[in-house]
Amino acid sequence: MRIARFAAGDEVGFGLIDTDTDSGEEFVARLTGHPLLGDIKLTGERAKLSDVRLLSPVLPTKVVCIGKNYADHVAEMKDITGESTDEPVVFLKPSTAVTGPNDPIFYPSASERVDFEGELAIVISRPCREVPRERAKDVIFGYTVANDVTARDLQKTDKQWTRAKGFDSFCPIGPWITTGLSIEEAQDLAVTTTVDGQTRQEGRTSQFIHDIPGIISHVTSFMTLLPGDVVLTGTPAGVGPVEVGQEVTVTVERLGSISNRVVTRD
């Protein structure tokens, strides 16, 4: 299933994304309830996808991010982030960084270099702590697409990453949550990022240094994850700067794409 959170007029809700078998047009079928609470039903209402505004598919309490999870990205960022490590590198983005498809990325006045980082993201289904590798699948609700936007100059000067990663709008996610993928399927997906239509990043989740069960096991060894929390799994090589006016598109195979334009804050 593809589960979206969307706005239509003054109403915000959840819906299933489907394709009309005759026209090929995509539409959203409205749901009652909250998908992460389990009691959802179709209302019988539906709208063309082009007539609604897609929002971030969840509002997490936190975004947990894994750094240095592709060897080629570790190599290109060695001067800033150092060598790879035996355990996953973990950092956080605040919930206020989360934004949705087609929402602007605000270029902060404090930075002179803002980078894109396309990633696969995991959506957590239930409260969980100390999850063993073999039970990781039990706490995954689904997968979505993310852009771990980073003020690269601040990351270098600050030495720790909170400010560089935490600006408002620095975590676009969407366009929906895709459920039903096995961990094995999720670990062999293409991740691509373009800027104004030009390809900048191309990788596959099969290149992870730390796999999905290992990530979830490690994070939950010291932190409780809650329903709707989002875990970013790292970015492949090819990260680079974006300028005001440019549009960044991140695509993950089988999951969809999100596009966001970089703007200045009025």
Side-chain angles (χ1 to χ4, degrees):
M1 292 191 299
R2 295 179 294 169
I3 301 174
R5 181 170 160 266
F6 68 98
D10 295 329
E11 296 186 6
V12 173
F14 290 94
L16 296 182
I17 305 297
D18 208 346
T19 304
D20 189 284
T21 54
D22 295 324
S23 66
E25 189 169 30
E26 289 189 308
F27 63 89
V28 57
R30 185 180 290 274
L31 296 167
T32 61
H34 195 296
L36 286 162
L37 300 179
D39 186 19
I40 56 172
K41 296 179 181 178
L42 289 167
T43 66
E45 301 175 54
R46 74 175 195 172
K48 293 180 181 179
L49 191 57
S50 57
D51 290 340
V52 305
R53 179 190 170 204
L54 290 177
L55 308 173
S56 61
V58 288
L59 295 174
T61 68
K62 55 189 171 292
V63 180
V64 183
C65 308
I66 304 301
K68 302 195 287 187
N69 203 25
Y70 289 76
D72 52 2
H73 176 59
V74 174
E76 73 176 353
M77 296 299 297
K78 182 179 177 180
D79 290 345
I80 296 177
T81 60
E83 301 281 0
S84 59
T85 56
D86 292 337
E87 293 183 320
V89 173
V90 182
F91 60 94
L92 296 175
K93 283 178 176 277
S95 60
T96 48
V98 173
T99 191
N102 301 311
D103 287 338
I105 296 169
F106 294 109
Y107 201 116
S109 59
S111 176
E112 295 182 356
R113 175 170 168 171
V114 172
D115 283 15
F116 55 84
E117 294 190 10
E119 308 197 11
L120 168 74
I122 304 165
V123 181
I124 299 299
S125 63
R126 64 179 72 175
C128 56
R129 180 167 163 84
E130 297 182 347
V131 179
R133 286 182 56 91
E134 61 272 16
R135 301 229 14 221
K137 64 181 183 303
D138 298 335
V139 304
I140 297 174
F141 181 75
Y143 300 90
T144 190
V145 182
N147 186 352
D148 174 20
V149 183
T150 304
R152 193 68 71 198
D153 52 345
L154 302 183
Q155 184 184 28
K156 184 174 183 179
T157 58
D158 288 357
K159 305 302 182 184
Q160 57 80 42
W161 304 352
T162 302
R163 182 167 65 139
K165 301 282 190 175
F167 284 97
D168 291 357
S169 80
F170 267 29
C171 190
I173 59 175
W176 39 66
I177 304 167
T178 299
T179 65
L181 269 66
S182 68
I183 287 178
E184 291 74 21
E185 290 173 308
Q187 289 189 158
D188 191 19
L189 300 175
V191 179
T192 307
T193 305
T194 66
V195 177
D196 289 343
Q198 296 186 342
T199 300
R200 299 290 183 86
Q201 284 185 289
E202 289 184 291
R204 295 195 72 85
T205 57
S206 56
Q207 298 169 313
F208 283 168
I209 296 172
H210 304 286
D211 63 9
I212 289 171
I215 290 169
I216 289 177
S217 179
H218 180 68
V219 170
T220 61
S221 71
F222 61 89
M223 180 189 306
T224 298
L225 295 177
L226 299 176
D229 281 351
V230 174
V231 180
L232 273 57
T233 57
T235 194
V239 300
V242 287
E243 303 296 337
V244 171
Q246 292 186 310
E247 184 176 70
V248 183
T249 299
V250 180
T251 302
V252 178
E253 182 182 7
R254 298 182 63 179
L255 304 187
S257 301
I258 53 171
S259 295
N260 302 88
R261 191 169 296 279
V262 182
V263 304
T264 55
R265 190 183 289 276
D266 294 335

